Amino acid sequence: MGGCVGSHHDSSGSLNENSDGTGVALGRNQPLKRDKPKWKSDYPMTDGQLRSKRDEFWDTAPAFEGRKEIWDALRAAAHAFESNDHELAQAIIDGASITLPHGYINSQALRHPLRNELEVPETLSIMIFVILNILLLIIQPGKGNESQPPNYSILQPNVLAVEVNLAESNPMVNVSLRCEETDNPREVSWQYNGAPMDQHGNDITVTVEELFGGNYTCYDSEGAFLNYTLVLVRSSGHKILMGSGDTGYIACTSQNYNGSFQCSWSWSPDRNGEVMFVTATRWSKGSEISCALGSSQQSISCQDQTYCPYAEEVDRIVIELGVRHKYRLEKYSVSFYINEIVKPDKLEITKIDQSKIEWEYPRTWSVPDSYFPLTFEVKELPHKKDCTCESKCRRNKPVKVNTTQDRQWTVKKGFIICVRAQDALCNSSWSDWSQYITRGKGSRKYRRSNPQ
């Protein structure tokens, strides 16, 4: 109910135990391998031609076999893997309930619980290897394609994202820059981070070493500014945002089940970053969820217009965030169901009489209450204690936490009553504590905390 009865895919589970003779049980899910396939075209093919074939494949594949939402999930996983975001690709595969018996995405190793195998026509066999194994990652180009390195891409107008393999003994990438898109270019000079360069002309090639990107600007013969290109170097490390692989880097929460949610992050103390891109999508739908970036560039507010609070969530929401510090570019991602991030607002407590209090569901919570029930935790603490107190709060006695679905409580003078709420059907986050304070023994003055 309320979007909370959806099944969750267990990536370690088994759909069947049949073996194909390779020693790997079919149906037993294997982690997506990091190996990047190598392939060479039988005939000269440019990078643009190969990308065109890839797009054609994704657009037509669902018309042959399998469910469209599964193909869409595979497409999202391919793009994530192509961007070297192995964790996101694995999360998409898991979220779509796709099993990889051998740890590879190919026509012989894709299974889904609603269709034992995903197959495509034999005429597309070469595209299976090129597309489903995400061939554009490391292509050994055929003749005619040697001058087009696949290791940098246009992140946005005037901004290039460069892939430099730091594992190499001499990590560097040659990048082609153009000042003006014209058939009759003017005499052009260049500067790198404000310093004059020896190279001249409308088209130049620069070498990007390790993580040393920069801002390349071009000028006409009289020194007038013409254009610029910001070259950022993608980094597989996570140093711009605070967090860790265990705690995460992006925190998301939702007040209810109306399809809206918020996500936030924090810059590392010595790095003031800048958001270069942020997207929110559901895998099978393929369309972006509308999001607005906060003025501090440390949060987003999003709304999924197609979300239905009364239906089971089939796909996870995927957030992708690209941030830069100087010329370093890092990509972060997180995925979730709404029911995993829902957190009710604080409860508003009111006094019934001298001995009882009551509270209501938050006004922002989804209705009806019968379909979106809440459960409550109540604890009593001595005066001058705080609701966040967890130990040594009552003369070294453990604090008793009472769980109830009632909305009334008998108060004791001289005590603080703490109440919080959680979705009764999901193991999601508890609301922040609300407190009700009696003003000392024998006093008839009460104070209640207002919800935020």
Side-chain angles (χ1 to χ4, degrees), residues 32 54 58 69-96 98 100 105 110 131-134 137 281 283-284 318 320 331:
L32 181 62
R54 180 186 67 172
W58 286 124
E69 57 265 32
I70 304 304
W71 283 110
D72 289 339
L74 287 172
R75 185 174 190 173
H79 285 305
F81 204 94
E82 180 181 347
S83 301
N84 292 325
D85 196 335
H86 183 271
E87 293 180 0
L88 177 58
Q90 181 68 68
I92 294 175
I93 292 298
D94 292 342
I98 297 172
L100 304 179
I105 308 176
L110 286 175
I131 306 301
L132 294 186
N133 280 295
I134 313 101
L137 305 175
T281 58
W283 297 330
S284 68
V318 180
E320 290 187 321
K331 185 177 179 181

Side-chain angles (χ1 to χ4, degrees), residues 43-79:
Y43 57 91
M45 185 185 300
T46 66
D47 183 62
Q49 290 172 327
L50 186 56
R51 290 181 182 275
S52 177
K53 287 182 176 292
R54 180 186 67 172
D55 293 339
E56 180 182 358
F57 173 82
W58 286 124
D59 292 339
T60 58
F64 294 99
E65 295 284 350
R67 298 172 55 195
K68 183 179 185 301
E69 57 265 32
I70 304 304
W71 283 110
D72 289 339
L74 287 172
R75 185 174 190 173
H79 285 305

Side-chain angles (χ1 to χ4, degrees), residues 179-451:
C179 181
E180 295 183 292
E181 295 294 337
T182 176
D183 293 333
N184 299 301
R186 289 174 279 185
E187 183 179 342
V188 174
S189 62
W190 290 81
Q191 292 184 9
Y192 168 65
N193 292 342
M197 299 176 60
D198 293 334
Q199 298 192 61
H200 297 270
N202 192 57
D203 296 275
I204 65 173
T205 299
V206 299
T207 300
V208 178
E209 299 184 44
E210 298 182 340
L211 295 177
F212 295 102
N215 187 27
Y216 294 85
T217 52
C218 55
Y219 305 83
D220 65 15
S221 58
E222 297 180 354
F225 172 81
L226 296 176
N227 206 348
Y228 78 96
T229 301
L230 180 62
V231 177
L232 304 179
V233 182
R234 292 186 185 271
S235 171
S236 58
H238 290 146
K239 295 184 178 181
I240 300 178
L241 297 188
M242 292 185 63
S244 68
D246 295 328
T247 62
Y249 298 90
I250 304 173
C252 298
T253 185
S254 177
Q255 297 173 311
N256 47 43
Y257 288 99
N258 67 0
S260 63
F261 59 91
Q262 302 77 41
C263 297
S264 61
W265 51 89
S266 299
W267 307 121
S268 295
D270 58 341
R271 289 177 171 84
N272 187 17
E274 177 185 351
V275 173
M276 301 304 296
F277 65 86
V278 59
T279 61
T281 58
R282 283 196 186 268
W283 297 330
S284 68
K285 296 179 181 177
S287 59
E288 290 189 4
I289 297 171
S290 59
C291 293
L293 181 66
S295 58
S296 66
Q297 294 207 352
Q298 293 181 271
S299 65
I300 53 171
S301 298
C302 303
Q303 178 68 49
D304 183 358
Q305 302 290 347
T306 63
Y307 177 70
C308 175
Y310 308 104
E312 179 180 0
E313 284 187 276
V314 178
D315 329 293
R316 302 174 75 85
I317 292 174
V318 180
I319 305 295
E320 290 187 321
L321 173 68
V323 296
R324 61 167 284 210
H325 172 69
K326 295 184 178 178
Y327 305 115
R328 178 191 184 104
L329 177 68
E330 294 179 356
K331 185 177 179 181
Y332 297 81
S333 63
V334 64
S335 66
F336 52 83
Y337 295 100
I338 290 291
N339 68 71
E340 293 176 338
I341 65 167
V342 70
K343 178 182 178 179
D345 281 338
K346 290 179 67 173
L347 301 169
E348 182 175 0
I349 303 175
T350 57
K351 181 178 70 173
I352 298 178
D353 53 37
Q354 297 299 324
S355 61
K356 283 189 177 181
I357 59 174
E358 68 177 0
W359 51 86
E360 300 294 333
Y361 276 45
R363 283 171 288 183
T364 55
W365 188 245
S366 299
V367 293
D369 297 350
S370 58
Y371 198 83
F372 301 98
L374 292 175
T375 190
F376 309 99
E377 282 189 347
V378 184
K379 62 181 180 181
E380 299 173 330
L381 299 175
H383 188 50
K384 295 185 179 180
K385 295 295 183 180
D386 187 86
C387 285
T388 59
C389 186
E390 299 292 343
S391 63
K392 297 182 179 181
C393 302
R394 298 192 62 177
R395 296 180 181 178
N396 296 327
K397 294 181 180 179
V399 177
K400 181 180 179 181
V401 179
N402 306 275
T403 302
T404 179
Q405 286 190 303
D406 293 334
R407 288 183 281 176
Q408 292 187 357
W409 196 259
T410 301
V411 299
K412 299 177 183 178
K413 294 178 180 179
F415 280 83
I416 297 174
I417 310 300
C418 303
V419 188
R420 65 180 182 177
Q422 182 191 51
D423 189 326
L425 303 179
C426 295
N427 186 27
S428 51
S429 297
W430 288 91
S431 69
D432 295 329
W433 288 103
S434 296
Q435 64 181 19
Y436 187 88
I437 305 174
T438 62
R439 288 301 189 186
K441 280 193 172 182
S443 173
R444 294 188 177 183
K445 295 181 179 180
Y446 296 82
R447 188 179 78 190
R448 62 185 174 86
S449 64
N450 294 322

Side-chain angles (χ1 to χ4, degrees), residues 133-160:
N133 280 295
I134 313 101
L135 242 219
L136 287 173
L137 305 175
I138 298 183
I139 296 177
Q140 293 181 346
K143 295 180 180 179
N145 194 34
E146 296 176 356
S147 62
Q148 295 183 327
N151 44 19
Y152 65 90
S153 59
I154 299 176
L155 186 63
Q156 54 185 250
N158 297 92
V159 181
L160 296 182

